[in-house]
């Protein structure tokens, strides 16, 4: 990793923006009426106005999040020249999984379909709502792959997939928009921070 890479991915502006996104996502959760109204109204607009013929497609997309998130670091670990990237990816994935699940049960936000019975639940969703675990998985995976391969076309494909996963969670009625914003922020923060820490450790080891 070059000094320029380290500077880019330890950029306080980038991490500050991601942290700000996460803090904004908390506003509806702590029951600030203005932000709650926006959260619910956007959910209603997306869920109840969705194109029903796309339900099967979005169910397929949403189901890829966990599998791709778990398999990506394992596949990287099996490729000798990408083994370090696999370790980085595995640490980032586990960090977001632990953080996401801890927040779910600490904040214990009910799923939208449990609170608003007119929301059409089109896929599974049983644990507390905030943050979206599927979105967290998708964005940490997209972040890892974009930082490992550093090709624009890889970045476009993986982030398009991650955005579709995030959108599918709202479209299918199992998450609020703030849930997916939080998941996207958490996954991105983990990818960036773990990348920077890994680079720092490598440089320290090489110095000795």
């Amino acid at each position: 990793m070059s000094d320029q890479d380290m500077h880019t991915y330890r950029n306080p502006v980038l991490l500050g923006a991601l942290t700000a996104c996460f803090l904004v996502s908390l506003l509806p959760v702590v029951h600030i009426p203005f932000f709650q109204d926006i959260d619910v109204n956007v959910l209603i607009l997306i869920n109840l106005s969705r194109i029903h013929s796309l339900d099967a497609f979005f169910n397929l997309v949403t189901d890829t999040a966990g599998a791709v998130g778990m398999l990506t670091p394992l596949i990287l670990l099996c490729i000798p020249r990408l083994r370090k990237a696999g370790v980085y990816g595995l640490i980032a994935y586990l960090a977001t999984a632990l953080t996401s699940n801890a927040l779910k049960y600490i904040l214990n936000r009910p799923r939208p379909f449990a609170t608003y019975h007119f929301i059409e639940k089109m896929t599974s969703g049983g644990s507390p709502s905030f943050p979206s675990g599927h979105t967290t998985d998708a964005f940490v995976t997209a972040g890892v792959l974009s930082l490992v391969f550093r090709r624009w076309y890889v970045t476009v494909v993986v982030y398009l997939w991650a955005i579709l996963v995030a959108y599918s969670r709202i479209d299918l009625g199992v998450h609020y928009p703030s849930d997916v914003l939080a998941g996207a922020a958490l996954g991105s923060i983990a990818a960036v921070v773990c990348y920077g820490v890994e680079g720092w450790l490598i440089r320290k080891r090489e110095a000795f």
Side-chain angles (χ1 to χ4, degrees):
M1 181 186 297
S2 69
D3 290 340
Q4 183 179 2
D5 289 342
M6 288 295 296
H7 174 74
T8 300
Y9 294 106
R10 292 171 63 187
N11 188 331
V13 175
L14 174 60
L15 289 175
L18 292 170
T19 303
C21 287
F22 178 74
L23 293 175
V24 167
S25 74
L26 280 170
L27 296 176
V29 184
V30 297
H31 307 299
I32 298 177
F34 175 75
F35 293 99
Q36 279 185 308
D37 290 343
I38 293 175
D39 211 23
V40 173
N41 288 335
V42 172
L43 168 64
I44 291 170
L45 177 65
I46 292 174
N47 176 249
L48 299 185
S49 301
R50 73 186 189 282
I51 301 172
H52 291 74
S53 60
L54 292 177
D55 285 352
F57 169 73
F58 281 119
N59 265 291
L60 177 63
V61 168
T62 211
D63 288 342
T64 64
V68 174
M70 287 186 290
L71 288 174
T72 294
L74 298 179
I75 291 171
L76 294 175
L77 283 168
C78 293
I79 303 172
R81 68 183 182 86
L82 295 175
R83 198 157 288 155
K84 289 180 181 178
V87 173
Y88 151 57
L90 185 60
I91 292 171
Y93 177 80
L94 291 175
T96 52
L98 290 171
T99 304
S100 174
N101 279 286
L103 284 170
K104 278 180 178 289
Y105 290 98
I106 290 170
L107 296 172
N108 201 30
R109 187 187 200 185
R111 295 275 181 162
F113 56 79
T115 302
Y116 302 96
H117 299 294
F118 51 83
I119 293 297
E120 297 178 3
K121 174 180 177 286
M122 303 305 298
T123 189
S124 60
S127 61
S129 193
F130 183 96
S132 165
H134 284 70
T135 305
T136 304
D137 289 350
F139 272 84
V140 72
T141 303
V144 166
L145 291 174
S146 66
L147 292 174
V148 167
F149 291 103
R150 307 295 297 278
R151 298 288 186 271
W152 69 266
Y153 48 85
V154 173
T155 299
V156 169
V157 170
V158 295
Y159 274 104
L160 176 60
W161 166 72
I163 290 167
L164 283 172
V165 169
Y167 182 84
S168 74
R169 304 307 286 166
I170 308 169
D171 182 87
L172 298 172
V174 290
H175 279 292
Y176 295 96
S178 57
D179 297 338
V180 302
L181 177 61
L186 284 174
S188 300
I189 289 169
V192 170
V193 170
C194 291
Y195 187 78
V197 170
E198 184 206 29
W200 179 79
L201 290 173
I202 289 171
R203 295 204 309 172
K204 284 291 183 182
R205 188 162 59 246
E206 289 174 349
F208 287 103

